[in-house]
């Protein structure tokens, strides 16, 4: 059972990297990818736990990016697997994104504080130092303040794009991000490209453009994709000679997603391993 998309407390998951690996091992996962948003800071702890629990580990990250093919920007997520974590171009972009995610969280908390009992300290109380900040942490602060029941309710109401509290954040251009991931020796896979319930998705032409820039695969099997969307994406992957992955996008207790609920074929993992600069730890 291979699950190539999970989050820890290095970003917006609720399990520490070590606990994430333990949860995966107990669920029968044989190879796990840790893919926190815009950071690799969970890798060392996850690697130690992977050795302890005898789980294969793909070191990765989920890179925030913006696709501009169509004129207006569409936020997209690119999974980067097995890249050199210190490669300057990609690192500069993720550091810029993380810094702006913090400013953005401050702006959102300022706006929310006009109507709800929430402070910056309340948000920090929900995170570890160095965490990539995101709306889920703001949601946790709102839950702690008794404003909403859980992250789902926060996302369905107050934190939705379009509310007066929503603020966007910097992210690199998607074509540039694909190139930066490849330059760092990584394998770029487009995360949940057809997740239209959570926002705008890109047209097929963008996937073609990203493939031309070096995209390695599409995450087809993901809970945010309907059966129709999966069929459509599988066809696109075949026509562009892209790998097909499936993953849980597990966030611990922060989301409904269950670890291992979607999985990736062993041949696809081997293809990713063959293209990446780093080894799969086993
Ligand atoms: P941000 O990147 O800060 O705008 O926040 C988006 C993140 O929130 C994504 O990584 C999602 O996984 C997560 N997310 C989206 N919807 C929900 C939800 N209903 N409950 C918990 N997390 C969510
Ligand atoms: Zn997330
Ligand atoms: Fe994502
Ligand atoms: Fe994710």
């Amino acid at each position: 059972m291979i699950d190539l998309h999970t989050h820890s407390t290095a970003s917006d998951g609720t399990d520490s990297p070590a606990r994430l690996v333990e949860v995966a091992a107990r669920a029968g996962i044989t190879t796990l990818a840790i893919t926190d948003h815009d950071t690799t800071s969970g890798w060392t702890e996850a690697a130690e736990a992977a050795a302890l629990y005898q789980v294969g580990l793909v070191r990765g990250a989920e890179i925030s990016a913006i696709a501009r093919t169509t004129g207006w920007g569409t936020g997209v997520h690119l999974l980067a697997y097995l890249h050199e974590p210190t490669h300057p171009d990609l690192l500069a972009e993720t550091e810029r994104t993380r810094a702006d995610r913090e400013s953005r969280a401050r702006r959102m908390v300022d706006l929310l504080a006009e109507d709800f009992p929430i402070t910056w300290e309340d948000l920090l109380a929900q995170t570890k130092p160095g965490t990539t900040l995101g709306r889920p942490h703001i949601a946790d602060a709102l839950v702690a303040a008794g404003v909403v029941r859980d992250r789902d309710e926060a996302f369905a109401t107050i934190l939705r794009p379009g509310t007066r509290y929503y603020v966007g954040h910097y992210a690199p251009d998607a074509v540039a991000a694909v190139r930066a991931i490849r330059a760092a020796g990584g394998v770029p896979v487009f995360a949940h490209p057809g997740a239209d319930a959570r926002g705008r998705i890109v047209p097929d032409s963008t996937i073609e453009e990203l493939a031309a820039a070096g995209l390695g695969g599409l995450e087809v099997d993901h809970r945010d994709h309907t059966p129709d969307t999966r069929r459509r994406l599988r066809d696109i992957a075949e026509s562009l000679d892209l790998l097909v992955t499936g993953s849980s996008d597990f966030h611990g207790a922060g989301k409904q997603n269950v670890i291992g609920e979607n999985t990736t074929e062993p041949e696809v993992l081997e293809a990713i391993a063959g293209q990446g600069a780093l080894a799969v730890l086993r």
Side-chain angles (χ1 to χ4, degrees):
M1 226 158 80
I2 299 161
D3 189 340
L4 296 183
H5 182 168
T6 67
H7 296 269
S8 77
T9 48
S11 63
D12 55 3
T14 61
D15 295 316
S16 68
R19 174 74 185 148
L20 170 66
V21 171
E22 182 187 349
V23 167
R26 291 191 197 287
I29 303 291
T30 50
T31 300
L32 172 78
I34 179 171
T35 54
D36 280 303
H37 297 284
D38 305 306
T39 187
T40 61
S41 68
W43 283 12
T44 307
E45 185 184 317
E48 284 168 14
L52 185 67
Y53 292 101
Q54 302 199 317
V55 175
L57 184 72
V58 173
R59 289 163 288 176
E62 185 172 14
I63 309 297
S64 311
I66 300 178
R68 301 195 183 280
T69 331
T70 43
W72 63 83
T74 302
V76 297
H77 287 169
L78 298 167
L79 295 160
Y81 295 122
L82 304 172
H83 60 285
E84 289 288 354
T86 55
H87 191 276
D89 296 357
L90 186 58
L91 188 59
E93 287 296 354
T94 53
E95 284 307 306
R96 185 170 171 194
T97 301
R98 282 159 39 75
D100 199 57
R101 276 175 164 283
E102 178 170 338
S103 315
R104 171 260 203 155
R106 283 182 187 272
R107 287 198 292 277
M108 285 187 72
V109 168
D110 284 346
L111 290 167
L112 286 160
E114 293 173 12
D115 296 323
F116 304 105
I118 173 182
T119 65
W120 182 244
E121 286 65 40
D122 295 339
L123 183 142
L124 288 185
Q126 302 300 328
T127 65
K128 296 201 290 196
T131 298
T132 299
L133 294 180
R135 280 181 289 157
H137 304 109
I138 303 175
D140 291 347
L142 291 167
V143 172
V147 176
V148 290
R149 201 174 44 245
D150 53 22
R151 283 185 177 184
D152 272 345
E153 187 184 342
F155 270 88
T157 59
I158 304 171
L159 299 183
R160 234 176 344 118
T163 67
R164 63 179 230 84
Y165 311 111
Y166 183 84
V167 178
H169 64 78
Y170 170 82
D173 172 76
V175 168
V178 164
R179 294 209 175 103
I181 292 166
R182 282 290 186 192
V187 186
V189 171
F190 195 159
H192 47 72
D196 53 2
R198 62 160 89 176
R200 200 160 52 221
I201 60 168
V202 301
D204 295 358
S205 58
T206 298
I207 299 179
E208 287 163 22
E209 190 185 22
L210 296 179
L215 186 70
L218 298 181
E219 185 183 56
V220 172
D221 291 314
H222 184 283
R223 75 154 51 203
D224 292 356
H225 292 160
T226 63
D228 262 1
T229 297
R230 294 180 196 211
R231 272 190 288 277
R232 195 174 62 76
L233 290 170
R234 227 175 272 283
D235 288 346
I236 296 171
E238 191 174 22
S239 71
L240 295 174
D241 202 18
L242 296 171
L243 299 168
V244 166
T245 69
S247 305
S248 67
D249 204 354
F250 179 69
H251 281 69
K255 261 186 138 184
Q256 309 295 327
N257 310 32
V258 177
I259 202 157
E261 68 177 24
N262 284 293
T263 56
T264 295
E265 294 301 319
E267 306 79 58
V268 173
L269 172 63
E270 291 321 310
I272 290 171
Q275 292 178 31
L278 303 184
V280 177
L281 301 178
R282 348 193 174 224

